[in-house]
Structures are given as structure tokens and as C-alpha cells.
Amino acid sequence: MDSKNSRFAVRSGMILRTLVAVALSLPFCCRAFEISYWVWERTAPLSQSEIAELHAQGVTTIYWNVGEISNTGADWKWKAAPEMPKQVVDGLAIVPVVRITSIGKTPFEGASIEAFVAKLRVAAIDSGLQVDFDCPDRLLGSYANALKALHAAVPKLTVTALAGWSNRPGWEALQQSVDAIFPMFYDLGPDTSPAQGGPEPLAGVQATSERISSWSACKIPWMAGLPSFGRLSLFGADGHWLGNIRQWGWDDVCFNQCLTSEKTIPGGVTLFRVKAGGIVSSTPVKKDQVVAARLPARDTLSAAIFAAQKAGARGVVWFRLPDSGDPSGWSLKQMGSLDPRSASPKLVLRATAAGRLSLVNDSSTDLEPRLSGTNGMDRGYALELDADAPIFREATAGDFWKVTGHANPDTKPALLAIPLSTRLTFWFSHLRAGESLDCGLIQLAPNTTFKQIRYRVLQFGEKWQSIE
């Protein structure tokens, strides 16, 4: 890391430690503060475990994207028929959210406003309606007028907002047009080239806190929108942003042999250099391109919560409600346990059935992806099973990325076929709170059991333990 980056890391660390230290002086449970989630790109109903966790976090309202309308001349049309939430959950209000896009120069004038109101009022339900629009600054005043007309037909109306709107013309009119505003404090600027020290974290400590503070003068209720998701971005060899990779997984990033770890940036950014052409989650990559993995740091998010409280926010809303996919970022259970004093992950290996083992994170804290290192095998974690003799006959990876066998692992390690090995290594990149990774079928030699095997997780404590 060069001296400029070193100074930045030290300065950011000092700011973060100060914010977290102040936040720690106020117990989380003592803050009258709302927690909510945006639900995006999902039609499946909430599961019972999700409902239980939302109740445990004290969530009373979630905001569910039901569709998108776009402007064509004076008319507004649904891109697809809206998928209205039908699920009824006691104690949990579900507010529909409609995304708006427009390529017109004047989408909120004359007959367009009437069509806008007519199209959106049908999406409103008793819990209200939220409108999501990345409105250009020049249109903020006319957008406020359209929202005022919509509010006459929809009594409970909220909107998302860009973080910079609080000091733009039209800001006063917007506050008079809706019941509450949800500014989004992520993607606060364009993705900076890696050659220029970027890209920026999804939620940088100083930038996020400063933007949140600027909303303290808001005259109506507001909720701070914060990121819980992960993102994988691709930059060309010349440093230009080429786009975000879709439908990726941490295993493919962590153990991809065409990537070499280059550096980390405070706030939750890891940069990888493409050392040879290959594929990253179905996306072709070329030599010398850069892949940026971003996941907002937990202590940064904790500091952002405190900044929102200090600025007078009614609460925070997370984008987005986590699902089983890695791009959704931290787990739902983790989002309910962001207190920096929370316990560390607790990994336990359990025998679940004949020939079956399961590594469980028996805690409310995610074991985060381990991405830094100089080569593929220096990233991630390794579950090791060790025996005094080669008692393993067969083993498959199961939910793990890969399983390998070794002999003489502590003296002269040699990679061997499973039946000749005294130690098995199961590789994995991360493990969310309350979740597990199941080994494939493990077949042992006759008259042997799992009681003759010990285990440990490399890069997460080196102590050998017995299987439960």
C-alpha cells in the first residue's frame, strides 16, 4: 500500500473508531429507532424463519418492490404487470414500492401528471405506497408537484431520495408533497478507477456520515437507506468501469485461479487482478482487468446507524432483505446483530447422519468472506479432518467448494487420493449466521467411526476439537 493509501486508511480508521466508541456508549436496545427493509426482485412470500427474525428485530414495516412504470410521452406504462404482495403477516405491514424510469425531458407536466396519478393509485393499499425514482436535480420541482397530486389520491405516500437532494432546488416543495422520505446513502459517487484509489466502498465511513448529517434539517420524517448487499464490479486494464457482474458467488471469487488478490480498501473493498483470461461467474475476464468485490464493513454500518440517530432519522431501512444468494450480502440474522460488541462466529462440526457431517455457524454473526491473500489457496477457510491412520475410503465436497486428501500434513505434506490420506481438507469461503455447510458422503474404513477423527478450521482458530 502506498503512503497516500496508508494515510487514508489511518485517517478512516480513526474516524470509524471514534464513531463506534460513541455508539457503544448508547445501548442498541435503548434507542427508539425503526428498522426496516426493502424487498427487491422477489415474488416468493416470506418464510417462517424470515418472519421470526423480522419480529425479533422489531421490524413492523417492509417496503416491497411490486413493479416499474416508464414514461412514454404523456403516458405511463407498466413494464410488467405489478406483482402486488398478497401475504398477510401479523404485526408486519407491507408497503408496495413502484420504481419509475423516464427518458423524457419533461415527464411531469400537463396530462402526464394525470396519467402518473391514475397509474400509481391502483398500486396503493391500506399501508400506503412508496415511489422510487432517481430524479435528476432539474426535475425535482416538477416531480414534487406530481407527487403532491398523487398524495391527494394516496393518503399514505413516501418516496426514496438521492442523498444530495437535501441541498437542491425543489427540496422544500418535495417535503410538502409526501409523508416521509427515504434517502439512499450508498453509491454516493461514480466508481473511481482502481488506478486512482477506487472504487469507493458501498458505504464509506466519512462520506456516508457526512451525507447523513446533512439531512438533519429535514422537516418531515425520514429513514436512512443503507446497503447490506454485496457487489462485484469489473474494470478494464485501462481502469474504466465495465459494469457489475450478476449472479455471482463468493466461492467463485475466493477460489478463482485466474484472480490474484491485489489490495484491500478500508470500508469493505477487495481488488483482484486478472492474471490470465478466464471466467468469473459466467462473465469472461481478460488479463490485467480488475475485479472489485465490495461488502460494506459491519462496523461502518454500525457507525452509520449512530450517525442517522444523531441526525434525527426515524430509523434505517436496509437494501435489501437478504436472501440465500451471495449478492444479497450479510445474512438477515447478522443485520439484527450489528452491535460491535456482538459475539464472534461460532463454528461447530456435527455428525448429522451415517457418513454425514455438517459445519454449523451456531451464532448470530456471519463468518465473513476471506478474500485477501496472494494466491487462491491463501484465500478462504479450510475445515480439516484428521485421523491417525488412513481410515477415509471416500469423500465428496458436498456444499464445500472442494475436498482434498493429504498425508504427512504437518511434516512433509503430500496431496494424495482420499483412501491414502490421513487428513481431509474441505475448502469454503464464508458461512452465514445460523447456516451450515454439509460435507458430501464420507465413507470410513470398517470398524471405524467419526469419534476417531478430530477437526479444526484454518484461519478461524487452530485448536483441534472433537466432532459433536
Side-chain angles (χ1 to χ4, degrees), residues 52-135:
E53 182 58 35
L54 290 172
H55 285 327
Q57 295 181 25
V59 175
T60 58
T61 307
I62 58 175
Y63 299 84
W64 199 304
N65 175 239
V66 299
E68 182 175 329
I69 61 172
S70 59
N71 175 261
T72 304
D75 195 16
W76 293 86
K77 294 183 178 179
W78 291 102
K79 285 196 170 182
E83 291 279 350
M84 302 299 292
K86 300 180 178 63
Q87 188 175 21
V88 177
V89 180
D90 289 340
L92 185 65
I94 300 178
V95 176
V97 181
V98 177
R99 172 76 175 161
I100 293 176
T101 57
S102 175
I103 59 174
K105 292 184 178 180
T106 56
F108 303 110
E109 293 187 2
S112 175
I113 294 181
E114 295 181 10
F116 176 76
V117 174
K119 191 66 64 175
L120 285 177
R121 68 188 301 175
V122 301
I125 59 177
D126 290 344
S127 58
L129 175 70
Q130 185 169 102
V131 179
D132 174 49
F133 181 41
D134 298 338
C135 182

Side-chain angles (χ1 to χ4, degrees), residues 40-310:
W40 223 256
E41 297 179 350
R42 171 171 172 166
T43 57
L46 299 172
S47 68
Q48 290 304 309
S49 61
E50 287 174 323
I51 293 171
E53 182 58 35
L54 290 172
H55 285 327
Q57 295 181 25
V59 175
T60 58
T61 307
I62 58 175
Y63 299 84
W64 199 304
N65 175 239
V66 299
E68 182 175 329
I69 61 172
S70 59
N71 175 261
T72 304
D75 195 16
W76 293 86
K77 294 183 178 179
W78 291 102
K79 285 196 170 182
E83 291 279 350
M84 302 299 292
K86 300 180 178 63
Q87 188 175 21
V88 177
V89 180
D90 289 340
L92 185 65
I94 300 178
V95 176
V97 181
V98 177
R99 172 76 175 161
I100 293 176
T101 57
S102 175
I103 59 174
K105 292 184 178 180
T106 56
F108 303 110
E109 293 187 2
S112 175
I113 294 181
E114 295 181 10
F116 176 76
V117 174
K119 191 66 64 175
L120 285 177
R121 68 188 301 175
V122 301
I125 59 177
D126 290 344
S127 58
L129 175 70
Q130 185 169 102
V131 179
D132 174 49
F133 181 41
D134 298 338
C135 182
D137 292 349
R138 65 181 178 83
L139 293 177
L140 200 53
S142 60
Y143 179 44
N145 290 334
L147 290 171
K148 186 174 183 178
L150 177 62
H151 200 187
V154 179
K156 299 177 182 178
L157 181 64
T158 63
V159 292
T160 65
L162 300 181
W165 285 2
S166 60
N167 56 13
R168 299 290 190 273
W171 169 237
E172 289 294 328
L174 185 69
Q175 294 180 84
Q176 298 170 17
S177 301
V178 296
D179 297 306
I181 303 179
F182 290 56
M184 299 170 288
F185 297 105
Y186 50 91
D187 289 339
L188 297 179
D191 278 331
T192 308
S193 164
Q196 298 175 319
E200 295 295 321
L202 293 175
V205 179
Q206 186 170 6
T208 303
S209 296
E210 288 177 352
R211 287 295 184 93
I212 290 175
S213 178
S214 72
W215 277 73
S216 61
C218 186
K219 298 175 183 177
I220 64 174
W222 60 282
M223 299 267 286
L226 297 173
S228 58
F229 62 92
R231 178 176 288 167
L232 203 62
S233 304
L234 181 64
F235 293 81
D238 58 0
H240 286 94
W241 178 72
L242 300 177
N244 297 322
I245 297 174
R246 307 292 181 182
Q247 301 303 319
W248 50 271
W250 287 122
D251 278 3
D252 193 33
V253 178
C254 188
F255 301 117
N256 199 308
Q257 296 302 298
C258 75
L259 301 178
T260 182
S261 302
E262 187 160 277
K263 70 174 181 178
T264 59
I265 299 174
V269 183
T270 304
L271 301 184
F272 300 88
R273 179 72 61 176
V274 180
K275 61 182 180 182
I279 301 291
V280 177
S281 296
S282 301
T283 298
V285 294
K286 299 178 181 179
K287 188 177 185 297
D288 290 330
Q289 289 181 335
V290 173
V291 175
R294 283 179 280 184
L295 182 66
R298 285 171 290 199
D299 48 8
T300 301
L301 296 179
S302 180
I305 292 174
F306 173 71
Q309 289 177 304
K310 186 178 179 181

Side-chain angles (χ1 to χ4, degrees), residues 342-460:
S342 297
S344 299
K346 180 182 178 182
L347 304 188
V348 180
L349 187 64
R350 294 173 178 151
T352 57
R356 302 285 181 176
L357 295 174
S358 183
L359 183 66
V360 181
N361 183 351
D362 194 10
S363 75
S364 59
T365 304
D366 289 358
L367 179 67
E368 64 183 302
R370 182 174 175 270
L371 303 177
S372 61
T374 57
N375 56 64
M377 290 304 159
D378 193 38
R379 304 192 290 257
Y381 304 91
L383 167 66
E384 291 191 330
L385 306 184
D386 188 75
D388 293 331
I391 65 173
F392 304 107
R393 292 294 176 263
E394 182 180 348
T396 54
D399 295 333
F400 290 82
W401 172 70
K402 182 180 180 181
V403 60
T404 54
H406 296 82
N408 304 316
D410 297 321
T411 54
K412 296 180 179 181
L415 186 65
L416 295 174
I418 300 296
L420 302 176
S421 302
T422 59
R423 184 174 296 178
L424 302 185
T425 302
F426 292 82
W427 301 93
F428 66 105
S429 58
H430 71 297
L431 187 53
R432 284 173 160 184
E435 297 185 0
S436 62
L437 294 170
D438 293 338
C439 301
L441 179 65
I442 299 175
Q443 185 174 341
L444 303 180
N447 301 318
T448 60
T449 70
F450 285 142
K451 292 182 179 181
Q452 296 169 250
I453 298 171
R454 58 181 184 168
Y455 79 94
R456 67 180 179 182
V457 178
L458 294 182
Q459 308 303 333
F460 185 76

